[in-house]
Structures are given as C-alpha cells and as structure tokens.
Amino acid sequence: MNFDNNLPIYVQIGDYLKKQIISGKLKEGGKLPSVRDTAKELKVNPNTVQRSYQELERESLVFTQRGMGTFVTEDKDIIKNLKKGYGNDIIKKFMEDMKTLGFNSSDIIELINDMVKEEKDV
Amino acid sequence: MYNTDNIVEIKNLTKRYGNKSALNGLNLSIQKGQIVGILGPNGSGKTTLIKILAGILRKTSGEVIIDSHNPGIDTKAIVSYLPDRNFLYEWMKIQDALDMFKDFYDDFDEGKADELLKFMKLEKDMRIDGLSKGMKEKLNLTLVLSRKAKLYILDEPIAGVDPVARDQILDAIINNYEENSSMLITTHLVRDMEKMFDEVAFISEGQIILEGNAEGLREEKSMQIDDLYKEIFG
C-alpha cells in the first residue's frame, strides 16, 4: 500500500480497510489483523493504525470484543451502504469528467449501454 | 515543576563549539510512549542535540531533563542510543558485541537479542569486519533495541542501507516499540520514515522551527510530511 496522496495516514488506512470489507477480502463478522500486525505490514506507527480502527468503529463498520480483537460488522446493510457510497462517489466523478468532455446525460447512458452489451458478448 | 507525562524536556538549550553555535535556544518536549521524528538537513544540529541527550556532549547553557534527571549516569541507564555510525570494534564477533552489551547494561535482554538477530538473519559467529554496511546497521540496531530502555534515541537508522535492510530495520523498530517507552529518531530520509512518527519536529540552525502531531500537520497543510520538509528546506 502506498501513501501518496495528501490525506492523513489514518484516513488512508481506513479507506484501504473499507475497500477490503466491501470486496469481501475481510468477511462480515471476520477478524481484522491485530493493530500491531497491520502496523508491521504497512510499516506505520501502531498508534496511527489504532486510530483508523477507532474511526471504523465509530462508523459501526467494525466492533471490538474485549480481549478478542476487532471484527467486521455482521450487519449486511451497513456494508451494502458503504459499498453504495463508494460506487456513488466513483459515478459522480465519472459524470463530472464526461460532462467536461461535452457529453450529456443521455449520451452517457447510451455509451454505458453499448459498453455493457459488448461485455456480455465477450 | 516538570510535566511528568514527558520523558524529555528541553528548554532554551544552547551548544557552542568555540564561537560557533550548533544549538541556539532550542525547546522541545517528548511525551512518554511516543515516536518523535527530528527532521532537518545535514548541519542543522540533529546529532549535537542527540549527543547531549545521550550524555556524550555537555550543553553550554539551558535545561535538559530526562525522566526528571539531568543527562549523566542516571540517564545513561535508561537511554538506549544508536549513533549514526558503527560503534563496534572491527575485530569483534557478534558474540563479543553481545557480551559487551550484557556487561555494560543491566537492562540488556538476551532473549530479545537472539530473537532480533534471527529476524535480521545475523549469526553470532560472524565477524564485524566481514559485515556489509547494512548488516552492521542491523547489528547495531539489534543491540540498541535489546535493552529495556525508557527512551530509545536512533540517529539516522536507515541512512545508506539497501531497501531490504531498510524494511527490516523499520519492521524491527515497529515490533519493538512499546507503549511505555519513547523513541526519538533523526532522519533526512523523510519519505521512508514519516509513517512511523507520532510527532515531528523540524530543526534548522539549531532551533526547532516547526513541531506538531504528524497526522495533524498532514491535515492542516494538506500534504505529507515529506512534501512539507521539501517546502521548508527546499
């Protein structure tokens, strides 16, 4: 994992973990690696990783069992909402880019439909 | 009174060599349990500062308090210091170096040293003069981290080592960092090390010109510490 943008490290680690939850690499109800193991893997100060975990907990994406560790939420709706949020962000950015290029909404839908058809054909 | 949350408190510290000052009224405090990065170019006063904390150089004026003591015998017992160059005799074997540390320091933990040597892929019968620069650095760090100190002071721990050794060194530092000890690390290789720091302090011409929580500075300036470093010193 590279930390190359201008956001604080804890935000970037949080983002990385969220993507792992969305993609199912971290399963619902599954255990997160310990703070220290994550710190080692990413070569980051353990206090920073701790803060990322706390942020995820604040957003109800993970919960901590005393003495057991940190686990991904078992609430499917929370994960679904997270996934939808990420998807929306990508689409919003895509729409802005397309409109900058001069496409209107119906042009965009047509292009996407063509693209989906092509994918099916392959 | 001193703030007991701090392991180190430095007030108005000055060090002069003849009529040239290396430290110029420097102020800095280090909280217990934190990893603090001292960032600055060559000649900014980093090593002078560290040598005063390690009890090797004497201050000209100002105050230095480490765990409520002035630098001296008391503080040498609780400060574990990694100099910026190899401090072992070339004729030694690694075993000799281990024995020397065991003799010198009551807090030396042999079990920890064995563990770290294994992790660094170093053997006790290797001779120091047969080690590469990266291996020497790894050995020096192994010895320093094997003490159960309250304050670890690492002067340029990754300067001039290859990327594999660098990663091993960073791993060893993270692995051996404990919440009840503190670390002070100097570096000019900010990009490689900035993720390790709770706090950073920028040093220039013997003074701290900017300090703060690393994440706080990233948030406030909207840039990584490495970019901030380039902006300040570039």
Side-chain angles (χ1 to χ4, degrees):
Chain A
M1 176 182 182
N2 289 319
F3 300 92
D4 42 12
N5 66 39
N6 297 328
L7 296 169
I9 306 286
Y10 83 89
V11 175
Q12 299 189 51
I13 295 172
D15 191 55
Y16 162 81
L17 292 169
K18 283 176 187 171
K19 283 180 181 154
Q20 291 209 310
I21 292 172
I22 291 171
S23 66
K25 273 183 197 134
L26 283 171
K27 301 233 177 331
E28 52 190 70
K31 191 171 185 295
L32 269 71
S34 71
V35 166
R36 194 163 284 264
D37 284 345
T38 303
K40 267 192 268 178
E41 191 196 321
L42 302 177
K43 305 212 187 323
V44 170
N45 185 310
N47 294 330
T48 309
V49 176
Q50 182 66 40
R51 185 163 173 199
S52 310
Y53 280 32
Q54 278 164 358
E55 288 294 318
L56 292 190
E57 188 156 8
R58 208 177 46 75
E59 294 174 45
S60 304
L61 291 166
V62 303
F63 61 95
T64 305
Q65 289 283 67
R66 196 176 273 273
M68 308 267 289
T70 304
F71 297 84
V72 179
T73 179
E74 289 168 0
D75 187 334
K76 287 193 169 113
D77 287 340
I78 292 180
I79 298 176
K80 217 159 108 187
N81 277 334
L82 178 70
K83 188 170 181 174
K84 205 170 159 189
Y86 267 82
N88 279 338
D89 286 349
I90 292 172
I91 291 172
K92 220 179 261 169
K93 183 168 182 312
F94 163 77
M95 293 291 277
E96 272 168 26
D97 287 351
M98 291 299 275
K99 281 181 179 158
T100 314
L101 291 176
F103 292 100
N104 64 34
S105 297
S106 55
D107 294 336
I108 295 171
I109 290 171
E110 200 176 313
L111 279 169
I112 290 177
N113 275 330
D114 290 347
M115 194 76 80
V116 171
K117 238 183 259 165
E118 250 175 60
E119 253 191 9
K120 271 186 195 152
D121 290 342
V122 172
Chain B
M1 265 316 282
Y2 294 101
N3 184 345
T4 50
D5 288 339
N6 292 337
I7 181 84
V8 174
E9 293 208 18
I10 301 170
K11 287 184 187 141
N12 206 17
L13 175 63
T14 296
K15 174 68 185 177
R16 273 191 285 273
Y17 300 107
N19 57 10
K20 188 180 173 299
S21 33
L23 298 178
N24 228 331
L26 181 141
N27 295 297
L28 182 69
S29 24
I30 296 171
Q31 271 183 51
K32 284 181 183 160
Q34 298 224 310
I35 305 180
V36 178
I38 306 285
L39 315 178
N42 296 330
S44 55
K46 283 177 300 190
T47 297
T48 299
L49 170 63
I50 268 188
K51 282 186 171 166
I52 289 173
L53 288 171
I56 291 170
L57 279 179
R58 281 173 185 276
K59 66 189 180 191
T60 305
S61 64
E63 273 186 273
V64 179
I65 301 292
I66 303 170
D67 198 35
S68 70
H69 296 285
N70 292 310
I73 295 171
D74 291 328
T75 63
K76 279 188 182 175
I78 55 160
V79 173
S80 190
Y81 164 56
L82 176 78
D84 62 355
R85 61 200 56 174
N86 176 39
F87 54 80
L88 299 167
Y89 295 107
E90 294 286 332
W91 54 262
M92 284 181 160
K93 286 188 172 176
I94 290 181
Q95 183 64 56
D96 300 322
L98 291 171
D99 291 341
M100 183 176 83
F101 257 66
K102 211 163 57 184
D103 267 3
F104 268 40
Y105 301 108
D106 289 337
D107 60 358
F108 189 72
D109 179 343
E110 277 186 276
K112 201 169 175 186
D114 285 344
E115 219 173 90
L116 271 162
L117 284 178
K118 209 170 150 194
F119 176 75
M120 299 294 198
K121 299 197 168 64
L122 294 168
E123 305 286 344
K124 287 182 188 170
D125 59 358
M126 290 174 170
R127 278 178 63 101
I128 310 277
D129 58 10
L131 301 179
S132 68
K133 188 169 193 310
M135 288 163 96
K136 279 181 189 159
E137 189 66 34
K138 288 193 283 186
L139 174 60
N140 289 342
L141 187 75
T142 293
L143 294 167
V144 167
L145 290 180
S146 296
R147 289 184 55 196
K148 290 220 176 303
K150 286 192 180 171
L151 175 65
Y152 297 89
I153 299 180
L154 313 180
D155 197 2
E156 298 283 357
I158 56 166
V161 303
D162 65 83
V164 176
R166 181 193 62 203
D167 279 4
Q168 280 176 311
I169 287 171
L170 295 180
D171 279 352
I173 293 173
I174 291 173
N175 272 334
N176 291 280
Y177 159 73
E178 284 171 33
E179 275 156 36
N180 41 18
S181 59
S182 312
M183 278 193 190
L184 185 68
I185 304 177
T186 70
T187 190
H188 59 270
L189 302 169
V190 182
R191 179 167 292 281
D192 290 328
M193 294 216 72
E194 66 166 279
K195 298 175 294 180
M196 317 273 296
F197 302 136
D198 291 294
E199 303 273 327
V200 291
F202 293 84
I203 183 169
S204 174
E205 293 173 11
Q207 288 183 322
I208 303 297
I209 52 169
L210 176 66
E211 65 175 306
N213 176 271
E215 291 282 63
L217 284 171
R218 288 185 189 103
E219 214 146 23
E220 184 191 324
K221 311 274 183 189
S222 290
M223 56 173 90
Q224 295 299 308
I225 303 298
D226 185 48
D227 297 318
L228 186 56
Y229 181 92
K230 284 174 190 154
E231 192 177 279
I232 291 174
F233 296 113

